Amino acid sequence: MMMVTRSFQLFVLFIFPLTIFITECAKVTQNPDVYNVTKTIVHSAVSKGAVCLDGSPPAYHFDPGFGEGVGNWLVQLSGGGWCTNVKDCLNRSKSDVGSSSYMHPQPFKGIFSKNQSANPDFYNWNKVFVRYCDGGSFTGDVEYVDPATNLHFRGARIFTAVLEELLAKGLKNAKNAILAGSSAGGYPAILYCDRFRNLLPNTSRVKCLVDSGYFVHFKNPVLGRPFESIYKGVATLQGSAKTLPKSCTSKMKPELCLFAENIQQDIKTPIFISMSAFDNIMTQYTLGGTIYGCIQNGTCTASQNKTFQEMRSDFLSAIPKGNNPKLRGVFIDVVHHHTSLQKQTRWSPEKPIVVHNLAAPKAFSDWYFDRNYTYLIDEHNLPLPNDA
């Protein structure tokens, strides 16, 4: 018996220091620029009907702040296109953009980096990446569920349920806060911007950030039709009219109110838009996927270039004017890319997009912290390749 006990003691003495050594090594070797964060399931959302397309509970990824950033919060609404009919939504419900069952750990990088030198203003903030699983830019609120498909259109409820949990986790005590949205998550970052602000009455600085999610309604009917068709499908399936501002839906069709240009005038909270005038999702949805090749290879025809110029003109007419950059800041480049916030090369000192010698991350940080109210537009009227 004594021999067994002695052997066990030696085992513990050997294994325990080894465990500490392995743990410490893990801490040392974690890359602060790119690190994986596991999902948090919002189980309480189910009883509220706030569920993904397949009926599974929504989810987010949370990395707590530290040091002086412990009281600051960055909440990002993720994107991933839309589904505009039952067939598309059924397919989507079997993936990570339609069900939390398929969601894996999320790489945190770019504006979520913990590297102080690469991300000096936000490296130590509480960071939340809200997963997009409703297919309707967080605008849906349909009570009825067809038993033949079991599809749920509840994006608006998901936003509410996730925010409620985050408020309880400490967001309600935030000193500084940002609601950001990328791609299909960009529109709800505008739609819910004032609501986010109102939930934080004691927070000194609350602003919103749109990352490549400001898709415009082109004046030319041929150019405008693709996005109008997408938004009509979304509004019809998702019952979005219930969520959209009455100041807009009382004047025009619900699908037109899914264009940010038609609701932005009623938003009182400061908003910053960071995007290319030739966003590659906007150009490909509008002109077809083959347009990417001609831009990358520099082989676009005179007719295509004329169309680009027309699109740029409409885009610049739609975005907020520059008369009050404190309330509406912009950073508009001409690189043929889509989204930057979660990209290590785009939202870092390594290879940021620059306009007038100012990088996008610096432009936004200065605007957010009231150091300089940025309103920057690249004057070039043709797109540059994605790797420019």
Side-chain angles (χ1 to χ4, degrees), residues 80-338:
W82 309 266
C83 57
T84 59
N85 56 60
V86 169
K87 182 180 179 182
D88 286 348
C89 292
L90 277 172
N91 289 334
R92 191 181 181 94
S93 70
K94 300 175 178 65
S95 72
D96 65 346
V97 286
S99 170
S100 59
S101 301
Y102 298 91
M103 295 175 185
H104 300 294
Q106 175 68 23
F108 272 25
K109 51 189 174 180
I111 199 170
F112 281 12
S113 167
K114 287 183 178 180
N115 185 340
Q116 184 175 3
S117 62
N119 188 28
D121 287 310
F122 307 109
Y123 75 99
N124 57 359
W125 281 37
N126 294 282
K127 306 177 186 78
V128 182
F129 189 80
V130 182
R131 295 301 291 262
Y132 176 45
C133 65
D134 64 279
S137 287
F138 295 91
T139 65
D141 191 1
V142 177
E143 184 66 34
Y144 176 73
V145 177
D146 187 342
T149 64
N150 194 42
L151 287 174
H152 298 69
F153 302 111
R154 308 279 180 78
R157 298 190 198 184
I158 289 174
F159 178 82
T160 299
V162 171
L163 259 291
E164 286 175 352
E165 181 157 310
L166 295 178
L167 288 166
K169 263 189 172 176
L171 175 61
K172 65 181 178 182
N173 300 316
K175 296 177 182 177
N176 297 289
I178 297 169
L179 176 64
S182 295
S183 192
Y187 175 83
I190 296 175
L191 176 66
Y192 297 127
C193 189
D194 281 349
R195 182 175 165 192
F196 184 72
R197 177 71 185 91
N198 293 336
L199 288 170
L200 305 172
N202 300 317
T203 302
S204 59
R205 185 183 284 111
V206 180
K207 300 184 182 183
C208 299
L209 169 61
V210 179
D211 170 35
S212 302
Y214 193 103
F215 305 110
V216 305
H217 191 205
F218 295 112
K219 297 172 184 176
N220 183 328
V222 176
L223 299 178
R225 193 172 298 124
F227 268 100
E228 190 173 333
S229 176
I230 290 170
Y231 288 164
K232 183 176 182 179
V234 168
T236 302
L237 267 183
Q238 302 271 351
S240 301
K242 186 176 177 180
T243 303
L244 302 176
K246 296 296 184 290
S247 58
C248 183
T249 56
S250 63
K251 300 173 185 176
M252 58 187 75
K253 298 174 182 177
E255 58 264 31
L256 298 182
C257 296
L258 286 167
F259 289 101
E261 65 202 78
N262 292 328
I263 67 165
Q264 64 188 4
Q265 68 275 7
D266 295 324
I267 309 300
K268 298 178 176 61
T269 307
I271 297 171
F272 191 91
I273 299 168
S274 179
M275 184 168 174
S276 172
F278 305 106
D279 178 87
N280 75 18
I281 291 298
M282 190 161 64
T283 58
Q284 290 184 79
Y285 273 44
T286 304
L287 303 174
T290 57
I291 203 69
Y292 186 87
C294 92
I295 295 173
Q296 285 299 106
N297 301 323
T299 56
C300 297
T301 65
S303 176
Q304 287 171 322
N305 286 337
K306 184 179 179 180
T307 299
F308 290 143
Q309 292 166 352
E310 181 182 351
M311 292 173 68
R312 177 181 181 272
S313 177
D314 284 356
F315 177 80
L316 296 183
S317 294
I319 64 173
K321 302 299 179 281
N323 57 320
N324 188 1
K326 181 178 181 179
L327 185 65
R328 297 289 186 265
V330 306
F331 182 95
I332 308 300
D333 63 88
V334 295
V335 178
H336 194 229
H337 74 104
H338 182 64

